[in-house]
Amino acid sequence: MACGSGQPIPKVEELLKNATNQFERFYGYKPTLAACAPGRVNLIGEHTDYNEGFVFPMALPLVTLFVGSKTEKGIINIVTTQEHADEPKSISFPVPTKDNPLQRGKPLWANYVKGVISHFKGNLSGFDAIIHSSVPLGGGVSSSAALLVSTYIFLDQLSPSTNHMDQKAKALACQKAENDFAGLPCGIMDQFVSMMAKEGHALLIDCRHLESKLVPLKDSNLTVLVTNSNVRHELTGSEYSTRKTQCGVAAEKMGKKSLRDATMEDLEAAKNELDKVVFRRARHVIQENLRTEEGAQALENGDFVLFGKLMVESHISLRDDYEVSCPELDQLVEAALEVDGVYGSRMTGGGFGGCTVTLVKSDAAEKTMQNIKSKYKGEPTFYLCKPSSGARDLQL
């Protein structure tokens, strides 16, 4: 799974060198601590995590670095090297206390960091830090989780007393940070895989019981192609919350704790009590859970044809039943599926733009990218990826 002619993916060592140099330029001294956490692509299992269902992501070689040093001034200073619309790229605030907790505010990117700091279990101190990332913003590959988790791992280095906490607890703290401070009622998938992924494996996650299973994905003639539409329709916040509410309504009508517990027979029996839109939302989630479990087993068996078929079914369901796709994502999927050697393709992430994920034979990857370029009306960005490692400390 080489990078081919897709977008060059910088090595962590290269990113770390850049981040260290920028830290020195900004603060005037060398940093002492560094951590990184990856973005992710979800192979199948979309909008199931907040319904206590199953998801099947893998970590990407695209990572966010959090580099810095402890200080004794009682102030936290953070700089980001990424462009966040018209927002300032730096922020300073006092170390929070029980009587003076952190508050949400602007710049918006800092709310993710503030959230992690607020839910961190160890002793806090002042620090200077810089955030440097290769994870594209708004691309549906979870730049937010990469930031949350890298922040937590960095704070772990500042306060080693929290190292006894298991990775699951740390992922849950990052999820709560995103819920409370970023205001996004996300499920656990993104933080979980960013924290716990292993190189060469995808991760089947049971979002109710927080159990996971590593599934090898090491076939030398298999490539995961992530295609960024470079489009973001500004609907995701409200639409995400609306769909979560609709799923809750459907589960309640069927007498279930969540849609994780519902079957298609349950849904058909409740059809007359459900709004047509709510029915379609529930149908997607119930069937997507089944596809995800079947897909993980298919990959474990090396049945890439079946997995590709399930990916396509997932995209159609997300487009028609869950209504979170958009014309640009549909174009990318259709163009990929025209190429011999492509097993399957689907939108990935929350929807309304962002990325698609395509499972393709390695020797067909170049032709796939060329066909997408010729058919897609926009300017796509390609990443040819292999399953990568989760969050970790970095040595300076």
Side-chain angles (χ1 to χ4, degrees):
M1 298 186 192
C3 284
S5 63
Q7 184 76 9
I9 298 176
K11 294 182 178 180
V12 173
E13 294 79 11
E14 179 185 340
L15 289 170
L16 182 58
K17 182 179 180 181
N18 290 340
T20 300
N21 290 339
Q22 294 196 55
F23 182 96
E24 289 187 55
R25 283 198 296 271
F26 193 87
Y27 292 107
Y29 68 98
K30 292 183 177 182
T32 57
L33 303 171
C36 77
R40 64 94 188 99
V41 64
N42 193 21
L43 299 174
I44 196 167
E46 219 66 74
H47 289 279
T48 49
D49 59 345
Y50 54 83
N51 287 291
E52 300 187 331
F54 297 93
V55 293
F56 193 43
M58 71 176 213
L60 295 171
L62 301 161
V63 297
T64 293
L65 275 65
F66 205 102
V67 177
S69 293
K70 184 176 181 178
T71 65
E72 303 299 333
K73 301 176 183 177
I75 299 294
I76 294 171
N77 300 303
I78 306 168
V79 177
T80 179
T81 64
Q82 289 188 295
E83 296 293 337
H84 293 264
D86 297 323
E87 293 190 316
K89 299 175 73 171
S90 63
I91 188 171
S92 298
F93 49 86
V95 174
T97 63
K98 185 177 180 181
D99 296 328
N100 186 30
L102 292 178
Q103 302 293 330
R104 294 170 57 182
K106 292 186 176 181
L108 297 178
W109 61 264
N111 288 329
Y112 293 90
V113 180
K114 288 180 179 178
V116 176
I117 292 170
S118 296
H119 291 291
F120 184 69
K121 302 300 182 184
N123 297 320
L124 291 167
S125 68
F127 61 84
D128 296 333
I130 195 161
I131 299 164
H132 189 55
S133 184
S134 60
V135 187
L137 296 173
V141 291
S142 204
S143 58
S144 58
L147 174 56
L148 292 160
V149 173
S150 62
T151 302
Y152 203 106
I153 300 302
F154 174 83
L155 294 178
D156 258 350
Q157 295 183 69
L158 282 179
S159 179
S161 61
T162 65
N163 285 338
H164 68 278
M165 289 176 58
D166 63 23
Q167 290 177 307
K168 195 180 297 185
K170 294 175 183 179
L172 285 167
C174 291
Q175 179 199 17
K176 190 164 177 56
E178 187 158 5
N179 293 165
D180 293 350
F181 271 74
L184 185 65
C186 62
I188 189 59
M189 173 180 67
D190 296 352
Q191 298 83 6
F192 204 94
V193 69
S194 185
M195 186 74 74
M196 301 179 69
K198 299 295 182 185
E199 186 175 359
H201 295 76
L203 191 67
L204 177 65
I205 304 170
D206 178 336
C207 296
R208 168 174 286 174
H209 301 295
L210 297 185
E211 297 172 349
S212 60
K213 178 182 179 181
L214 290 164
V215 178
L217 189 58
K218 298 179 179 179
D219 191 297
S220 60
N221 192 34
L222 190 70
T223 292
V224 176
L225 170 62
V226 178
T227 305
N228 193 342
S229 68
N230 290 310
V231 168
R232 170 58 56 186
H233 298 288
E234 296 299 328
L235 298 168
T236 51
S238 61
E239 295 291 338
Y240 188 104
S241 298
T242 298
R243 278 155 183 75
K244 188 173 183 181
T245 299
Q246 290 167 334
C247 291
V249 168
E252 184 178 357
K253 288 289 186 181
M254 289 183 281
K256 307 296 182 181
K257 179 176 180 288
S258 75
L259 290 180
R260 159 70 174 268
D261 302 311
T263 64
M264 283 303 299
E265 290 76 17
D266 294 326
L267 184 61
E268 289 295 337
K271 187 172 185 177
N272 293 335
E273 298 180 55
L274 295 173
D275 174 272
K276 290 181 179 179
V277 173
V278 172
F279 177 87
R280 294 201 307 273
R281 304 294 190 254
R283 181 168 60 189
H284 164 75
V285 173
I286 294 168
Q287 293 182 333
E288 186 80 346
N289 273 322
L290 296 173
R291 282 189 288 266
T292 303
E293 289 190 282
E294 186 179 1
Q297 188 61 56
L299 273 195
E300 192 165 21
N301 295 339
D303 191 343
F304 306 133
V305 173
L306 175 56
F307 191 85
K309 175 177 176 289
L310 294 167
M311 291 177 77
V312 175
E313 289 176 1
S314 172
H315 182 78
I316 292 169
S317 179
L318 288 160
R319 182 191 68 196
D320 298 343
D321 276 354
Y322 223 65
E323 296 182 281
V324 291
S325 188
C326 62
E328 294 88 351
L329 293 175
D330 295 340
Q331 285 175 23
L332 292 175
V333 169
E334 290 164 9
L337 292 175
E338 291 174 352
V339 181
D340 288 339
V342 169
Y343 292 109
S345 186
R346 59 184 287 276
M347 61 152 279
T348 186
F352 306 107
C355 291
T356 61
V357 58
T358 302
L359 198 67
V360 57
K361 292 180 180 179
S362 296
D363 53 15
E366 182 66 35
K367 185 176 180 182
T368 304
M369 291 186 287
Q370 292 301 325
N371 195 59
I372 290 172
K373 284 181 180 178
S374 69
K375 300 293 179 66
Y376 182 53
K377 295 180 180 179
E379 292 292 334
T381 304
F382 300 105
Y383 301 94
L384 290 170
C385 301
K386 62 181 180 179
S388 299
S389 299
R392 55 203 183 273
D393 297 344
L394 299 174
Q395 297 300 314
L396 291 173

